[in-house]
């Protein structure tokens, strides 16, 4: 079986392409069958629903589905999947969280897109907190901001976040869910006790490390390929009240990364003296000082920061957070001083803020509102997110930040650079990371005009080519490949398991076709 697997999958892929082709010619046939289903009233063919399901935050890819399902319970989803699975001409199905992908990953050309957020008003799992406060059961359609608000109401909180909270639980768990907490608590996929999944064979499965573990590990970081996550059980801890939030500036990259690595070496989950969050970013000549990640620097200090950037063209900004509450209020400053002792940031370039915990976590939203008001949010986002082994991060700085980025002089959005610890990830899951114990995430989170996004895509290609030539074994986060070879390289030693799991849980290749892993016709 192991030997026959690739050719079996190839045969299925050819079949699926053929069926997609036949499917196009049989749209009307499928629509009439769909209309006979119980869920027919929940299927929308409304042009505005179709238009919105054909786009995402990237505004680069467009793929038009035949219909949009507005489910009110997981059973509606199971019913749709079952119908497609049993049909002589199956059609593709994509769960759509908040559609904050940037390369069409939540789209389904000629298929059906499931608008997961419609379950917020239905009978699916909303947000239920265990009576002992140890976990929350959360619907896959919930936004993380809703999870934060619901848990904070009881003085509790999840521990692993994304920078931006208007993303769905199912959407981030299908990737990994990373932020400044990852070095200590692991990604969001490392912080899940149990999930409910509707597979590509329409089975409704509850899974965990001890129960249907194959599906549990497949679906976490699984890019939506194995099933639709309708519930996740997320561990909770007591919530802090406030945070000390600090940014320090560097002009020397090796000082910057050495300090980052020193700070993340203290990473015990229960080590109260460790930091709670660590990230880093580039301040660039052509970028604005306060981009959408947060307004931070005090106005009176901005002229000296700007002249530093003008002089050096790239300034590195290390960002950390330490939580505190009523009990630790009197000791937090001393603990922070202890942690920052001996660091090599530029004297006079340390800036500190004191903020409410939720204000810090929801920091991107206020910037989103400002950009929306200026019409700068719903624009193309030619993003590139990479994981880079620690041993090559300095080569990356020289070859990308100091060469490509400065020469092209087009990067305008945030550029993130921060390290994580591999041991906080679980290799049994589908998510892919570099082999080294410490690796960096680099995110070029660029915005462009509707006419010039290709220039940014060209820069992204140049960066990837540089890495290939320089032997920097990067892994893409939120990966996007257009060839099978690209995917095989991406998954590396995990590819055969990934294929095997696809065959087991979605043998007709129905789910999340917009990832273009098995359905390159999308
Ligand atoms: P969608 O884009 O709707 O879907 C993503 C993929 O998951 C698709 O393939 C879809 O079919 C599938 N999917 C969706 N829901 C489910 C489900 N319930 N079950 C199974 N599959 C499903 N990511 C980080 O890790 N850290 C960050 O700090 C971060 N910040 C971001 C900030 C912004 C402004 C944006 C736009 C994105 C950011 N992201 C970040 C990326 C984000 O996590 C991913 O793009 C994520 O997929 C978006 O979630 P979504 O709910 O919009 O998912």
């Amino acid at each position: 079986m192991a030997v026959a697997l690739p050719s079996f999958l190839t045969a299925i892929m050819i079949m699926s392409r053929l069926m997609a082709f036949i499917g196009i010619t049989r749209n009307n046939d499928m629509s009439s069958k769909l209309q006979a289903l119980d869920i027919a009233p929940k299927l929308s063919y409304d042009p505005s629903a179709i238009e919105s399901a054909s786009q995402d935050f990237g505004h680069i890819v467009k793929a038009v589905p035949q219909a949009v399902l507005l489910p009110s319970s997981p059973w509606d989803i199971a019913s749709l999947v079952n119908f497609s699975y049993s049909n002589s001409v199956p059609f593709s199905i994509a769960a759509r969280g908040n559609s904050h992908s940037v390369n069409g990953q939540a789209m389904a050309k000629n298929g059906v897109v499931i608008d997961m957020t419609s379950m917020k008003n239905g009978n699916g799992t909303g947000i239920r907190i265990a009576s002992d406060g140890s976990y929350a059961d959360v619907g896959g359609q919930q936004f993380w901001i809703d999870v934060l608000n619901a848990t904070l109401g009881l003085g509790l909180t999840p521990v692993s976040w994304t920078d931006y909270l208007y993303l769905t639980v199912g959407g981030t768990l299908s990737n990994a869910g990373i932020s400044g907490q990852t070095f200590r608590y692991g990604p969001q996929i490392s912080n899940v006790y149990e999930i409910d999944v509707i597979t590509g064979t329409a089975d409704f499965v509850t899974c965990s490390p001890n129960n249907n573990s194959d599906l549990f590990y497949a679906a976490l970081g699984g890019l939506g390929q194995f099933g639709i996550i309708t519930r996740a059980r997320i561990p909770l801890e007591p919530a802090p009240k406030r945070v000390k939030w600090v940014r320090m500036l560097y002009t020397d990259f090796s000082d910057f990364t050495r300090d980052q690595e020193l700070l993340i070496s203290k990473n015990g989950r229960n080590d109260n003296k460790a930091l709670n969050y660590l990230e880093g970013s580039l301040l660039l000549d052509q970028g604005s000082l306060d981009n959408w990640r947060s307004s931070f620097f005090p106005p009176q200090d901005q002229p000296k920061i700007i002249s530093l950037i003008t002089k050096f063209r790239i300034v590195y900004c290390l960002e950390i957070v330490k939580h505190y509450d009523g009990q630790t209020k009197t000791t937090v400053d001393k603990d922070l001083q202890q942690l920052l002792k001996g660091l090599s940031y530029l004297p006079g370039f340390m800036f500190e803020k004191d903020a409410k915990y939720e204000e810090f976590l929801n920091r991107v939203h206020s910037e989103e509102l400002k950009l929306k008001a200026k019409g700068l949010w719903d624009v193309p986002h030619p993003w590139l997110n990479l994981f880079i082994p620690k041993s090559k991060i300095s080569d990356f700085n020289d070859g990308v930040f100091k060469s490509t980025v400065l020469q092209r002089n087009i990067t305008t959005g945030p550029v993130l650079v921060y390290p994580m610890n591999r041991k906080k990830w679980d290799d049994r899951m589908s998510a892919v990371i570099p082999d080294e114990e410490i690796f960096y995430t680099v995110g070029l989170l660029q915005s462009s005009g509707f006419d010039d996004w290709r220039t940014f895509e060209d820069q992204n290609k140049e960066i990837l080519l540089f890495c290939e030539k320089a032997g920097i074994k990067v892994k893409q986060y939120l990966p996007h490949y257009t060839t099978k070879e690209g995917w095989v390289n991406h998954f590396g030693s995990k590819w055969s398991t990934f294929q095997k799991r696809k065959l087991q849980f979605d043998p007709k290749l129905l789910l999340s076709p917009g990832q273009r892993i098995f359905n390159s016709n999308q």
Side-chain angles (χ1 to χ4, degrees):
M1 181 65 188
V3 178
L5 188 64
S7 51
F8 184 76
L9 264 173
T10 308
I12 288 190
M13 281 161 78
I14 293 167
M15 283 283 289
S16 128
R17 270 175 225 175
L18 196 65
M19 287 188 302
F21 173 72
I22 297 167
I24 296 167
T25 63
R26 288 210 196 156
N27 278 354
N28 292 339
D29 186 30
M30 184 184 111
S31 297
S32 60
K33 283 186 181 168
L34 280 170
Q35 274 155 28
L37 291 177
D38 284 355
I39 50 168
K42 295 173 184 172
L43 282 162
S44 173
Y45 304 88
D46 181 75
S48 68
I50 299 278
E51 174 66 15
S52 131
S54 311
Q55 300 185 23
D56 63 18
F57 186 76
H59 290 289
I60 289 171
V61 173
K62 192 164 179 160
V64 183
Q66 288 197 48
V68 177
L69 178 70
L70 304 168
S72 48
S73 79
W75 305 112
D76 293 339
I77 298 174
S79 171
L80 180 79
V81 177
N82 185 43
F83 173 70
S84 177
Y85 182 68
S86 334
N87 206 305
S88 55
V89 185
F91 51 86
S92 60
I93 295 172
R96 179 181 190 261
N98 200 19
S99 203
H100 272 42
S101 294
V102 294
N103 282 299
Q105 287 93 336
M107 296 179 195
K109 190 176 165 190
N110 294 320
V112 178
V113 167
I114 304 175
D115 178 354
M116 296 296 289
T117 59
S118 77
M119 283 210 294
K120 283 189 174 196
N121 309 318
N123 311 322
T125 308
I127 300 171
R128 289 194 305 256
I129 298 169
S131 55
D132 66 359
S134 61
Y135 64 80
D137 276 323
V138 177
Q141 73 284 357
Q142 295 295 329
F143 289 176
W144 283 101
I145 183 68
D146 301 322
V147 182
L148 177 66
N149 289 333
T151 53
L152 275 187
L154 293 172
L156 299 165
T157 178
V159 293
S160 184
W161 294 97
T162 45
D163 291 351
Y164 173 66
L165 305 183
Y166 290 74
L167 305 169
T168 64
V169 168
T172 69
L173 294 184
S174 297
N175 285 297
I178 57 166
S179 184
Q181 297 86 8
T182 308
F183 80 91
R184 180 165 168 201
Y185 300 98
Q188 291 180 325
I189 50 173
S190 295
N191 291 277
V192 183
Y193 288 148
E194 182 179 280
I195 48 179
D196 285 342
V197 178
I198 296 166
T199 66
T201 49
D203 292 306
F204 191 111
V205 186
T206 297
C207 50
S208 69
N210 302 319
N211 186 14
N212 298 307
S213 59
D214 246 17
L215 183 56
F216 181 76
Y217 295 125
L220 294 172
L223 307 175
Q225 294 305 301
F226 309 103
I228 296 168
I229 300 170
T230 56
R231 177 186 65 95
R233 180 165 287 183
I234 313 284
L236 300 177
E237 290 192 4
K241 290 267 185 287
R242 301 189 66 85
V243 307
K244 295 282 179 190
W245 185 4
V246 180
R247 287 189 183 178
M248 295 161 274
L249 304 189
Y250 295 73
T251 49
D252 185 280
F253 188 70
S254 48
D255 286 347
F256 168 69
T257 50
R258 194 181 44 246
D259 284 357
Q260 283 190 321
E261 287 167 25
L262 179 72
L263 291 168
I264 69 157
S265 65
K266 202 168 175 53
N267 57 48
R269 213 179 154 98
N270 299 318
D271 181 350
N272 293 332
K273 300 283 179 202
L275 287 172
N276 299 95
Y277 164 103
L278 179 142
E279 286 200 3
S281 58
L282 263 51
L283 303 181
L284 291 169
D285 216 0
Q286 68 266 30
S288 105
L289 197 54
D290 283 328
N291 53 46
W292 60 256
R293 286 192 64 245
S294 64
S295 307
F296 188 91
F297 298 107
Q300 67 275 17
D301 289 315
Q302 297 200 4
K304 75 172 181 180
I305 301 174
I306 290 169
S307 59
L308 191 73
I309 302 171
T310 311
K311 185 168 171 203
F312 289 92
R313 300 197 66 201
I314 301 183
V315 169
Y316 305 98
C317 173
L318 203 167
E319 179 178 56
I320 55 161
V321 159
K322 182 96 186 109
H323 297 166
Y324 72 96
D325 53 26
Q327 271 191 331
T328 47
K329 196 171 153 188
T330 52
T331 52
V332 63
D333 285 325
K334 222 168 95 207
D335 288 347
L336 206 52
Q337 263 175 21
Q338 192 62 31
L339 279 161
L340 304 187
K341 211 163 70 186
L343 298 190
S344 308
Y345 56 90
L346 297 172
F349 286 92
M350 191 233 253
F351 307 93
E352 192 177 328
K353 249 186 172 182
D354 191 294
K356 276 187 173 169
Y357 176 62
E358 57 270 35
E359 182 198 335
F360 162 68
L361 284 182
N362 201 18
R363 61 202 175 277
V364 174
H365 185 55
S366 42
E367 305 310 312
E368 173 191 0
L369 296 178
K370 284 184 209 157
L371 287 177
K372 273 191 171 153
K374 293 186 204 156
L376 295 174
W377 185 255
D378 294 315
V379 294
H381 292 102
W383 286 11
L384 181 66
N385 285 278
L386 299 172
F387 290 149
I388 298 161
K390 166 191 147 151
S391 63
K392 298 286 183 186
I393 194 67
S394 164
D395 297 353
F396 189 91
N397 177 54
D398 293 340
V400 175
F401 296 149
K402 292 196 151 175
S403 299
T404 309
V405 167
L406 286 185
Q407 275 158 21
R408 287 194 174 237
N409 203 30
I410 54 168
T411 302
T412 47
V415 181
L416 307 183
V417 194
Y418 60 91
M420 313 181 192
N421 296 304
R422 193 176 208 284
K423 66 179 181 192
K424 304 282 177 176
W425 294 64
D426 188 329
D427 207 33
R428 291 167 292 184
M429 293 176 184
S430 295
V432 174
I433 57 176
D435 279 339
E436 293 183 12
E437 266 326 302
I438 293 175
F439 63 92
Y440 279 76
T441 183
V442 166
L444 291 116
L445 310 181
Q446 317 179 94
S447 301
S448 76
F450 281 89
D451 297 332
D452 63 353
W453 57 264
R454 281 194 178 80
T455 323
F456 291 77
E457 294 274 270
D458 287 346
Q459 173 169 292
N460 293 343
K461 281 183 199 148
E462 185 180 324
I463 293 171
L464 291 170
L465 195 64
F466 163 76
C467 291
E468 196 182 314
K469 286 192 176 152
I472 305 178
K473 293 203 168 84
V474 298
K475 292 291 177 193
Q476 284 189 35
Y477 178 56
L478 315 171
H480 170 60
Y481 296 97
T482 48
T483 61
K484 184 176 170 198
E485 190 195 358
W487 285 111
V488 174
N489 283 338
H490 172 74
F491 283 105
S493 59
K494 286 190 174 181
W495 175 244
S496 72
T497 307
F498 199 82
Q499 280 194 110
K500 229 183 279 173
R501 286 170 169 172
K502 184 70 175 174
L503 193 57
Q504 185 180 355
F505 299 117
D506 181 22
K508 293 197 176 172
L509 314 181
L510 306 182
L511 301 177
S512 287
Q515 297 279 3
R516 302 176 69 185
I517 304 175
F518 299 99
N519 313 55
S520 53
N521 59 318
Q522 289 292 316

